């Protein structure tokens, strides 16, 4: 049925890769969008840094402005879509929008992961809505399923491949035997990795996404700086070969877990059994594996970045906002005001893979095993690879608190028979 109500007016804050994708889809899918939202939707103004910029999709430049106030002060705009990225001026604009009781849809993971609490509280004061499906996993619907579909369950664990750049790099290293540096250069050539790849490869991007998912899952505000992070730059092709021999794949996982001792939230390279559904996620795809107390295992898979997948998630939020405009928001997320407690990494229990370059002579293994034993670290498997100058011990521990494992590592470094410890990777059961 055709919709005859007035169009909902959208203000687009930012118009790069994602913003131009939003503009494109609003026009291209106008009929379906109107049907889903139950009102026509139109982009009536766009804030840009420069009007004449190259964009992946054609955008109507006549509605562009470089003056933020001409959009933010326009009383005719009902919903603002923030796709500028970064925390400032995005945060100030978002607070201004919400302060005026206008709704905010954002793809900005840093904004939510750092300032979620402030934004949720501002929204509650004016009955505005804040939506951020696109901030985690690009086009994958994960925020709304976590908030609403799993609202009646208890989420015990989240394991996510939430960074496509690093998954692409690890996939190439594993498939081609290339080094980290070679795979990164290839990812940059293909446009998957930024010229400055640090936010992706050092785990910051994944940490922001995990902070958001953990806040929703554990019903407390968890910020990105509470998430432990370790990137992929020290993963070596040899480790991927060893992992494959042992029946594992190596992935940069974002892991949040509710355990007896408390909640953990961490991003690090992880050896994952090949039989785990996440082990087969290759290339620049993302996937989030959720374990609910009652529902059991769930997995969400798709494109975690890119113009149109991300724009699709944004339009899904717009549909939700428009459908419920005038009623109280579906979720006030008051839990975001409760500071989330996260276990210090020293208390988190993991299994560990470790490689030691050693002197090849009798009694070496006994000395190594002694240090582990002294620190209450139990070994699950130990193999020697290579002989003479190339002798290496490759081992996997049982589950142990990080504190004990670190103490054992310090003890091993002091042994004269241990020449170097080139690699340590956590192992997920
Ligand atoms: N840079 C991210 C990635 C996408 O590589 O997955 C945006 O969050």
């Amino acid at each position: 049925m055709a919709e005859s109500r007035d169009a909902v007016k959208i203000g687009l804050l930012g118009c790069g890769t994602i913003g131009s994708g939003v503009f494109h889809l609003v026009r291209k899918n106008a009929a379906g969008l109107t049907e889903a939202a139950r009102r026509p939707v139109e982009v009536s103004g766009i804030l840009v840094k420069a009007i004449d910029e190259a964009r992946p999709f054609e955008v109507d430049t006549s509605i562009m402005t470089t003056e933020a106030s001409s959009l933010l002060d326009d009383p005719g705009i009902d919903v603002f879509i923030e796709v500028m990225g970064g925390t400032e001026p995005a945060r100030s604009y978002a607070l201004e929008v919400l302060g005026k009781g206008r709704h905010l849809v954002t793809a900005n993971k840093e904004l939510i992961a750092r300032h979620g609490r402030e934004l949720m509280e501002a929204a509650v004061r004016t009955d505005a809505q804040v939506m951020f499906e696109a901030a985690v996993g690009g086009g994958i619907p994960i925020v709304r399923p976590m908030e609403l579909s799993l609202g009646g369950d208890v989420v015990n664990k989240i394991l996510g491949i939430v960074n496509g750049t690093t998954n692409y790099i690890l996939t190439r290293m594993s498939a081609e035997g290339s080094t980290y540096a070679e795979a990164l250069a290839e990812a940059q050539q293909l446009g998957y990795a930024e010229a400055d790849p640090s936010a992706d490869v050092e785990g910051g991007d994944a940490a922001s996404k995990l902070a958001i998912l953990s806040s929703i899952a554990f019903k407390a505000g968890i910020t990105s700086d509470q998430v432990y992070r370790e990137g992929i730059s020290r993963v070596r092709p040899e480790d991927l070969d060893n992992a494959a021999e042992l029946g594992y794949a190596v992935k940069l996982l974002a892991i949040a877990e509710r355990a007896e001792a408390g909640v953990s939230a961490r991003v690090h390279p992880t050896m994952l059994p090949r039989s785990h559904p996440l082990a087969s996620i290759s290339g620049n795809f993302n996937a989030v594996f959720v374990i609910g107390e009652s529902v059991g295992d769930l997995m969400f898979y798709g494109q975690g970045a890119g113009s149109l997948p991300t724009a699709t998630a944004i339009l899904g939020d717009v549909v939700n906002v428009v459908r419920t405009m005038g009623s109280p928001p579906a979720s006030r997320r008051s839990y975001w005001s409760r500071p989330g407690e996260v276990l210090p990494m020293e208390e988190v229990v993991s299994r560990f893979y470790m490689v030691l370059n050693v002197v090849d002579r009798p009694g070496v293994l006994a000395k190594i095993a002694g240090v582990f034993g002294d620190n209450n670290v139990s070994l699950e498997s130990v193999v020697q690879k290579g002989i003479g100058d190339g002798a290496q011990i490759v081992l996997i521990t049982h589950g142990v608190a990080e504190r004990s494992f670190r103490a054992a590592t310090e003890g091993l470094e002091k042994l004269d028979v241990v020449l170097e410890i080139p690699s340590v990777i956590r192992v997920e059961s």
Side-chain angles (χ1 to χ4, degrees):
M1 196 177 72
E3 295 287 340
S4 55
R5 296 164 69 190
D6 287 347
V8 170
K9 295 205 174 354
I10 305 275
L12 200 49
L13 303 174
C15 196
T17 306
I18 300 172
S20 66
V22 169
F23 185 87
H24 173 77
L25 285 189
V26 168
R27 293 249 163 126
K28 178 175 157 294
N29 297 344
L33 188 58
T34 303
E35 184 114 12
R38 301 183 187 141
R39 277 178 75 176
V41 170
E42 73 177 42
V43 178
S44 64
I46 306 175
L47 175 66
V48 291
K49 276 197 213 127
I51 289 173
D52 294 321
E53 246 176 37
R55 299 182 171 90
F57 295 97
E58 200 180 315
V59 179
D60 179 358
T61 52
S62 72
I63 57 170
M64 285 184 179
T65 175
T66 53
E67 287 297 322
S69 58
S70 74
L71 241 68
L72 296 171
D73 295 342
D74 180 347
I77 296 180
D78 310 286
V79 182
F80 284 84
I81 297 177
E82 185 276 310
V83 282
M84 302 184 328
T87 47
E88 280 300 344
R91 170 180 159 272
S92 304
Y93 293 170
L95 288 171
E96 191 172 337
V97 163
L98 296 170
K100 290 178 178 161
R102 254 77 69 70
H103 308 293
L104 178 76
V105 174
T106 177
N108 191 330
K109 66 213 152 226
E110 272 180 279
L111 180 66
I112 302 296
R114 282 174 197 259
H115 303 291
R117 176 179 179 176
E118 190 181 19
L119 296 176
M120 304 314 158
E121 289 177 354
V124 166
R125 283 195 287 274
T126 58
D127 256 352
Q129 304 195 50
V130 184
M131 306 290 262
F132 47 90
E133 182 62 74
V136 185
I140 305 172
I142 179 68
V143 169
R144 200 164 302 111
M146 292 275 295
E147 278 194 322
L148 300 181
S149 313
L150 298 182
D153 201 358
V154 175
V155 173
N156 283 330
K157 190 161 185 178
I158 302 166
L159 291 155
I161 294 174
V162 288
N163 184 268
T165 305
T166 46
N167 203 51
Y168 178 84
I169 292 172
L170 291 173
T171 303
R172 295 305 291 168
M173 286 175 70
S174 173
E176 306 295 323
S178 39
T179 62
Y180 164 75
E182 287 163 351
L184 170 61
E186 189 187 323
Q188 283 171 321
Q189 263 164 20
L190 290 168
Y192 293 150
E194 308 273 341
D196 174 3
S198 49
D200 292 317
V201 299
E202 286 165 14
D205 174 80
S208 294
K209 293 165 180 168
L210 187 68
I212 296 171
L213 292 181
S214 319
S215 301
I216 299 169
F218 305 135
K219 302 287 179 280
I222 294 173
T223 57
S224 43
D225 54 19
Q226 291 178 277
V227 179
Y228 173 85
R229 70 195 71 168
E230 224 177 84
I232 62 163
S233 61
R234 282 165 35 205
V235 177
R236 309 165 313 151
E238 300 93 299
D239 298 319
L240 301 179
D241 292 343
N242 289 340
E245 271 177 39
L246 293 161
Y248 293 91
V250 178
K251 297 287 180 192
L252 182 72
L253 287 194
I255 305 176
E257 189 169 12
R258 191 196 296 273
E260 230 169 78
V263 158
S264 67
R266 52 214 162 90
V267 172
H268 49 68
T270 311
M271 279 174 45
L272 194 63
R274 283 221 163 270
S275 55
H276 193 285
L278 285 176
S280 59
I281 305 304
S282 61
N284 66 345
F285 276 86
N286 282 199
V288 184
F289 193 85
V290 180
I291 305 176
E293 194 173 276
S294 304
V295 75
D297 295 352
L298 297 168
M299 190 156 96
F300 303 81
Y301 167 82
Q303 277 292 344
S307 180
L308 295 184
T310 310
T312 304
I314 288 171
L315 290 190
D317 279 350
V318 168
V319 165
N320 269 270
V321 168
V322 172
R323 273 182 170 225
T324 54
M325 265 164 62
S327 339
S331 169
R332 293 183 166 274
R333 304 194 188 94
S334 42
Y335 58 80
W336 225 288
S337 294
R338 279 197 293 276
E341 299 276 329
V342 175
L343 278 181
M345 199 57 193
E346 295 75 38
E347 290 175 33
V348 173
V349 172
S350 305
R351 290 159 69 219
F352 290 87
Y353 151 97
M354 177 185 255
V355 179
L356 302 109
N357 293 347
V358 294
V359 174
D360 193 9
R361 65 168 188 249
V364 169
L365 207 50
K367 283 192 179 176
I368 290 171
V371 172
F372 278 117
D374 291 346
N375 289 285
N376 274 324
V377 182
S378 174
L379 298 176
E380 180 182 301
S381 72
V382 182
V383 283
Q384 175 168 344
K385 302 192 94 182
I387 52 168
D389 287 349
Q392 289 194 325
I393 304 289
V394 177
L395 57 85
I396 293 184
T397 71
H398 281 301
V400 57
E402 185 110 3
R403 178 179 287 118
S404 303
F405 183 79
R406 287 185 191 169
T409 306
E410 281 171 24
L412 292 168
E413 281 167 345
K414 287 187 192 131
L415 290 182
D416 57 352
V417 296
V418 173
L419 305 174
E420 197 192 355
I421 301 178
S423 192
V424 171
I425 299 177
R426 293 173 190 80
V427 180
E428 183 66 25
S429 301

